[in-house]
Amino acid sequence: MDFNKKVIVILAIALLATGSWSCKKITDEAPQDKLDITNAYKNVADADAAVIGIYGQFLGLEKTYILQNELRADLVSVTANADPYLKQLSNHTTTKDNPYADPRPYYNVILNCNDVLKNFKLMLDDRRMSVDDYNKHFSDVGALRSWIYLQLGIQYGSVPYITEPVENVEDVKNLSTFPRISFEELLTRLIDFTEKLPYKEVYAYPTGNPLVITIDGNNTQKIFTCKPFVLGDLYLWNNNYTKAAENYQKIMNVESNNSNINLAFDAYKVGYYLSSPYNDQSVRYGRSQDESTLLTDAGWKTIFSAPNTANVWNSEFLWGLPYNANYKPGNPMIDVCSPLYGKYLIKPSQVAIDNWNAQRQYNGIPYDARGRLSYSTSIVGPEITKLTDNIIPATNFNKVGKWGIYRAGLLHLRFSEAANRDGKGKLGWALLNIGILNTFYVGTRNSAGTAAPVSFDEINTMVTPYAAPYDFDARFNGDYRSPWYRNTGIRNRAGVTALDVSLQNDVTGLEGKLIDEAALELAFEGNRWPDLLRIARRQNNPAFLAERVYQKLLKDGDPNASATRAKLLVPANWYLPFDWK
């Protein structure tokens, strides 16, 4: 290992595990008139260290991100242990002094991003960094900043959009005086900036880059922002469905030409189980129809419990950051979710549990097993385990885990949302339900009703009849196999029955079902409030959001349920108070 790589290994262990950074945080107060802008950007190893430092600080946002996006929506409720501020988040009575509504943690990372981006440009100008290294480093940090700004828009509506370093201490103290822009203008600016990034590949740093290493059983390649996913989300929020789908499909096909056929056929494609560690992501039982034999050490649960070096994790996740067992503070969700190792502040809502119980599996079991694999029940009540189920902490202080942000299940639901709005409802229905091959094949079928081609003409019917970015090749006959032939659909992978085919021609109806499916597939992962908000905005239908939150509070017995519903029927009340203390 060369010197630079040793430096990065040491920095990655220390910085990513603790969230610290050797450079002074730009929002720290300093006694002098100007903040200290360090002269630490001498070579590409320093640039690598700056990137790792940014991600170490970014890792500290998980708790805020999860609580804001889940507790404000309908799938997570507070426990009796929750403080008044968490209760405010849940029933939308948040006051300006609520620490969970503080925008400063987001801006702490943003302002450090601004400083790093400025110094990367200086390094390029002074030839301390090659053009290729600059393109990758600048684009990675820039895309991360765009993602954080999108979260700010989702939570606060209008926010200050600051892209230059803020070096004066008094300016840092008074960021609330910076002019704010609307969410709509923010989306426009973020799309413009992110589209102009010089490097927009799926993986920020290709294999062989010093930043792509394995440390303590964790690989670093996917800790970095997936830039096409950020762009896809920005376009989806901005109702540009073709551009959203274009970016999402780029990710879906990124491994299609991989010489490892398992990666080519399985990575990010939501495939069916073939006894391969690459596609062991289906809900499975030891004995069909025997619910007591639900597999918890294999199949769908391992998407979350497997280490990020495992094939099953890498076939599903595009972006996720690990916590290190040897450093404090560790995974913050243990403290929030666990009654054994934490304070048990939040739990699955009754709405979330009812959603899973309302489904039916193909094997006749009358509920969706993804619920059993996402939470557990005990004498203290239901416990969210999806965010902590790979955790066996040695002590209450060293808590390992991962913050999973982007994965294939989310990718397929977002792509389907765009396809449905872009007039490709059949494709959206396919990815949601039974997969491309089983939906588009029109020839001879076997006794199970799945495709059984007998001629080359029939094989050709397994290609979607659309132009890019809605073209998918799922041809399969004997030895002839195309990259998408294993695609099985979100619901099929979970073993739950398909929805009615009439939804293929019902744009609003299918859109609602996609969001309903997100509640089953993505619960507790930090996507729920954005999903509800995005659809309510697009449909100009406040009730889409308000009714779901109302039902949660009603089943919780919250006396504010009706008042909250009335409040959320007014779009101006969808956003948190922006207060810079």
Side-chain angles (χ1 to χ4, degrees):
M1 183 182 293
D2 62 34
F3 174 75
N4 283 350
K5 199 160 188 176
K6 286 181 180 178
V7 170
I8 296 305
V9 169
I10 294 169
L11 284 167
I13 292 173
L15 296 172
L16 193 56
T18 64
S20 62
W21 188 19
S22 59
C23 298
K24 180 182 292 291
K25 292 183 179 66
I26 199 163
T27 52
D28 288 346
E29 293 188 18
Q32 62 270 39
D33 292 334
K34 297 287 184 179
L35 292 178
D36 177 28
I37 303 300
T38 61
N39 186 26
Y41 298 88
K42 297 178 181 178
N43 52 46
V44 72
D46 290 336
D48 290 344
V51 169
I52 291 294
I54 287 287
Y55 278 90
Q57 190 185 15
F58 171 68
L59 192 57
L61 292 180
E62 182 189 9
K63 180 179 176 180
T64 297
Y65 172 77
I66 296 293
L67 289 177
Q68 288 183 347
N69 285 321
E70 294 295 342
L71 199 51
R72 299 182 69 209
D74 60 336
L75 306 180
V76 173
S77 296
V78 294
T79 70
N81 300 333
D83 61 43
Y85 294 120
L86 284 175
K87 295 175 183 177
Q88 287 179 6
L89 272 188
S90 184
N91 63 23
H92 293 263
T93 57
T94 307
T95 54
K96 289 184 177 181
D97 63 338
N98 190 316
Y100 301 110
D102 187 356
R104 287 181 299 177
Y106 292 109
Y107 279 97
N108 286 345
V109 185
I110 284 172
L111 295 179
N112 274 327
C113 287
N114 292 347
D115 183 59
V116 167
L117 293 174
K118 171 191 173 183
N119 280 282
F120 284 172
K121 183 62 169 63
L122 293 174
M123 291 180 73
L124 175 68
D125 293 343
D126 295 343
R127 299 184 179 179
R128 286 172 278 154
M129 181 188 288
S130 70
V131 171
D132 183 62
D133 282 329
Y134 169 81
N135 288 346
K136 292 183 176 69
H137 288 69
F138 184 94
S139 299
D140 178 41
V141 175
L144 178 64
R145 188 183 71 183
S146 292
W147 184 89
I148 297 171
Y149 265 123
L150 175 58
Q151 307 315 309
L152 281 166
I154 291 168
Q155 299 303 329
Y156 301 96
S158 62
V159 296
Y161 183 56
I162 304 167
T163 59
E164 296 296 327
V166 180
E167 300 179 6
N168 186 287
V169 174
E170 290 305 315
D171 287 342
V172 172
K173 290 179 180 178
N174 296 296
L175 279 183
S176 60
T177 64
F178 278 60
R180 299 185 201 177
I181 61 175
S182 68
F183 193 7
E184 290 75 15
E185 185 178 352
L186 178 66
L187 288 170
T188 299
R189 293 199 192 185
L190 291 176
I191 289 170
D192 180 67
F193 171 80
T194 311
E195 274 288 14
K196 291 177 180 175
L197 291 174
Y199 187 85
K200 292 181 289 189
E201 299 308 306
V202 173
Y203 307 124
Y205 307 100
T207 302
N209 187 285
L211 282 171
V212 181
I213 52 180
T214 298
I215 311 164
D216 292 347
N218 289 297
N219 185 268
T220 62
Q221 184 177 56
K222 295 183 181 179
I223 73 172
F224 305 107
T225 318
C226 181
K227 293 172 290 299
F229 216 135
V230 175
L231 262 175
D233 282 354
L234 290 171
Y235 280 120
L236 190 65
W237 277 92
N238 211 36
N239 300 330
N240 188 333
Y241 308 115
T242 304
K243 290 295 292 183
E246 179 183 298
N247 281 280
Y248 292 143
Q249 194 197 52
K250 180 177 183 179
I251 306 164
M252 297 162 96
N253 283 320
V254 68
E255 299 289 0
S256 291
N257 295 318
N258 196 303
S259 59
N260 181 331
I261 62 170
N262 287 303
L263 277 175
F265 293 147
D266 295 326
Y268 317 135
K269 292 183 171 65
V270 184
Y272 58 82
Y273 178 63
L274 283 173
S275 301
S276 164
Y278 290 91
N279 53 27
D280 184 18
Q281 297 152 333
S282 301
V283 171
R284 295 192 288 118
Y285 293 83
R287 294 183 299 276
S288 179
Q289 297 180 308
D290 183 351
E291 58 187 292
S292 69
T293 65
L294 177 66
L295 299 182
T296 59
D297 58 355
W300 193 82
K301 190 178 180 72
T302 61
I303 291 174
F304 311 98
S305 62
N308 80 345
T309 51
N311 291 322
V312 65
W313 194 91
N314 277 291
S315 292
E316 177 76 12
F317 270 93
L318 290 136
W319 188 16
L321 290 82
Y323 293 93
N324 192 296
N326 298 316
Y327 296 90
K328 298 178 182 179
N331 184 351
M333 301 318 297
I334 297 175
D335 190 53
V336 173
C337 299
S338 173
L340 180 60
Y341 294 106
K343 298 175 182 176
Y344 186 50
L345 303 176
I346 63 173
K347 63 182 179 180
S349 70
Q350 190 59 48
V351 165
I353 294 171
D354 290 347
N355 288 340
W356 283 307
N357 288 341
Q359 308 304 308
R360 187 173 185 84
Q361 298 179 53
Y362 286 109
N363 60 11
I365 294 175
Y367 56 80
D368 187 336
R370 286 174 293 183
R372 305 297 195 271
L373 300 173
S374 298
Y375 77 95
S376 64
T377 56
S378 69
I379 192 171
V380 299
E383 173 191 351
I384 295 170
T385 57
K386 182 191 270 189
L387 304 177
T388 62
D389 64 9
N390 62 332
I391 313 302
I392 307 178
T395 73
N396 284 358
F397 302 101
N398 294 333
K399 301 168 182 176
V400 296
K402 296 186 294 290
W403 176 14
I405 304 173
Y406 282 155
R407 65 180 180 93
L410 173 67
L411 174 64
H412 281 232
L413 288 170
R414 294 269 168 90
F415 179 91
S416 297
E417 184 182 324
N420 175 53
R421 278 286 171 176
D422 214 10
K424 310 297 187 295
K426 186 174 182 178
L427 177 57
W429 186 94
L431 295 173
L432 170 62
N433 287 284
I434 59 175
I436 293 169
L437 189 155
N438 287 325
T439 300
F440 286 91
Y441 175 60
V442 296
T444 306
R445 293 180 179 268
N446 60 27
S447 59
T450 54
V454 294
S455 70
F456 189 77
D457 288 340
E458 288 188 1
I459 294 173
N460 284 338
T461 67
M462 300 180 201
V463 179
T464 56
Y466 309 123
Y470 301 110
D471 53 326
F472 292 90
D473 186 348
R475 289 175 291 179
F476 168 48
N477 186 20
D479 293 331
Y480 188 87
R481 306 182 183 192
S482 298
W484 281 89
Y485 89 94
R486 291 182 186 173
N487 171 248
T488 194
I490 296 289
R491 291 179 66 83
N492 213 26
R493 184 173 75 167
V496 293
T497 56
L499 301 173
D500 195 282
V501 295
S502 64
L503 289 166
Q504 295 177 8
N505 300 308
D506 181 355
V507 174
T508 304
L510 181 55
E511 187 164 79
K513 292 299 183 183
L514 287 166
I515 300 305
D516 289 346
E517 189 65 26
L520 306 170
E521 174 72 17
L522 307 172
F524 318 140
E525 296 177 44
N527 299 291
R528 191 57 177 172
W529 179 257
D531 281 349
L532 298 182
L533 180 67
R534 188 173 61 256
I535 305 304
R537 282 168 53 93
R538 178 185 300 147
Q539 295 183 2
N540 192 24
N541 179 15
F544 187 93
L545 182 155
E547 287 295 338
R548 286 167 169 80
V549 176
Y550 169 70
Q551 288 299 322
K552 178 189 81 168
L553 297 177
L554 189 66
K555 293 181 178 183
D556 285 349
D558 191 310
N560 287 301
S562 294
T564 298
R565 179 186 180 278
K567 183 177 182 178
L568 293 177
L569 287 173
V570 180
N573 295 327
W574 292 343
Y575 304 102
L576 292 171
F578 187 95
D579 187 54
W580 194 273
K581 303 177 184 64

